[in-house]
Amino acid sequence: MKIAIIGCGNMGMAFARAFLKFDLVRKEDFLMVEKSADRMDSLNSFQPGVITGIIGPQVGEYDLIILSVKPQDFISVSQALREVVKPNQVVLSIMAGVTIQIIQDALDHKAVIRAMPNTPAMLGMGITAYSASPEVDINQLRKVENLINATGRSVFLEDEEQLNAVTALSGSGPAYFFYVVKAMIEAGKQMGFEESVAALLVKQTMLGSFHLINTADKSLDELIKAVASKGGTTEAALREFEAGKLDDTLKQGIIAAQKRSSELSKG
């Protein structure tokens, strides 16, 4: 496929690097559209393909247009894109909170896929959920799915509204983990560790715990119980977490993120 990426920030570049790494797109079939002068400098050093600062007629020559701009910038971008997008093209949006209907109306274009990746996509370890308008045929959908899978894993959702929950759960999810890791490191520092030592202990614990979740033939409750012996140190910590309603606070925070995503989707 010939691909144009509009907006070359972290996620746009994550997609570009993944596609090139796995030889899914040739450099000469790549168009990168970026208005930021600083990012243009980075693009010129990376040289992923054709680089431009404007949305011009050449955008209409590509099979897939990936919208990777900030949601608040979409209105201005859509005005230029509407003039050049062609009916046979597919538009893939990775903008949070901007619905398929909003994109279709703004561009006067029907074939739209809306996806929600997360930042581990920059390492090829992301998870992306996506939905599509009925005008996207199965062959187009499969091609786009193959591209998305270069950044990690993907899941197709028939109900687009579920993408608001995806935004809250996995889209924002890395920040929740970073928040917990930061708190654990701070606790380590309070107990007398140098920050580097505390960080090593916590990060390796998180990494090992992930692999246990992924490979152990046990439920999360069973894994917790295996660590928390009766009357021991882990039980003391968990008792404090329960007293502070940590689980409820986390769930309420995630639901608040879902609510905000729904609000953004309604404009």
Side-chain angles (χ1 to χ4, degrees):
M1 297 181 78
K2 295 181 68 176
I3 299 175
I5 297 183
I6 300 176
C8 303
N10 289 335
M11 293 309 303
M13 289 304 298
F15 273 57
R17 287 192 172 94
F19 300 163
L20 292 171
K21 176 182 177 181
F22 292 103
D23 295 321
L24 297 173
V25 183
R26 298 179 302 176
K27 282 193 174 185
E28 56 265 35
D29 291 334
F30 234 139
L31 175 67
M32 310 294 288
V33 183
E34 177 54 59
K35 66 178 183 178
S36 165
D38 289 341
R39 288 203 188 112
M40 282 285 279
D41 290 340
S42 298
L43 284 173
N44 284 320
S45 62
F46 175 44
Q47 294 186 332
V50 181
I51 302 167
T52 181
I54 60 170
I55 299 173
Q58 66 188 129
V59 173
E61 301 171 5
Y62 290 77
D63 303 304
L64 176 68
I65 298 172
I66 299 178
L67 282 173
S68 181
V69 299
K70 294 178 181 178
Q72 57 267 34
D73 293 336
F74 175 60
I75 293 177
S76 60
V77 166
S78 66
Q79 292 170 354
L81 188 56
R82 182 187 179 102
E83 300 299 318
V84 299
V85 66
K86 295 180 180 178
N88 63 308
Q89 293 178 296
V90 176
V91 174
L92 168 62
S93 167
I94 56 174
M95 300 181 294
V98 183
T99 65
I100 289 174
Q101 186 67 60
I102 289 173
I103 296 167
Q104 288 177 320
D105 292 344
L107 301 182
D108 190 23
H109 184 77
K110 295 300 182 183
V112 176
I113 298 172
R114 177 185 167 196
M116 174 45 57
N118 61 7
T119 53
M122 292 187 285
L123 301 175
M125 298 183 70
I127 178 69
T128 300
Y130 65 100
S131 294
S133 66
E135 292 78 9
V136 179
D137 68 43
I138 189 65
N139 289 328
Q140 292 171 323
L141 196 62
R142 283 174 176 166
K143 287 178 181 179
V144 172
E145 182 180 46
N146 287 338
L147 291 168
I148 291 173
N149 283 341
T151 67
R153 301 184 68 179
S154 66
V155 57
F156 175 73
L157 300 175
E158 290 189 10
D159 182 0
E160 184 195 351
E161 288 190 7
Q162 288 187 313
L163 286 174
N164 293 322
V166 170
T167 302
L169 197 61
S170 60
S172 301
Y176 312 151
F177 281 90
F178 303 152
Y179 189 91
V180 171
V181 168
K182 181 182 176 183
M184 291 176 69
I185 291 172
E186 288 299 319
K189 288 164 63 178
Q190 289 182 24
M191 293 186 290
F193 291 113
E194 293 290 331
E195 182 170 355
S196 60
V197 176
L200 175 61
L201 289 167
V202 174
K203 287 189 285 186
Q204 187 60 32
T205 298
M206 294 292 281
L207 178 62
S209 299
F210 160 74
H211 285 292
L212 274 176
I213 292 172
N214 230 23
T215 59
D217 189 22
K218 293 181 178 180
S219 68
L220 289 172
D221 283 336
E222 288 172 330
L223 289 171
I224 292 170
K225 189 175 180 180
V227 181
S229 56
K230 191 168 182 62
T233 56
T234 307
E235 188 180 67
L238 294 175
R239 191 182 302 116
E240 194 68 20
F241 295 159
E242 290 171 2
K245 299 187 182 299
L246 178 59
D247 58 339
D248 287 338
T249 300
L250 285 170
K251 286 183 282 189
Q252 288 166 11
I254 295 168
I255 291 169
Q258 178 193 22
K259 181 180 178 182
R260 180 57 181 155
S261 181
S262 297
E263 291 170 351
L264 290 171
S265 294
K266 295 173 183 175

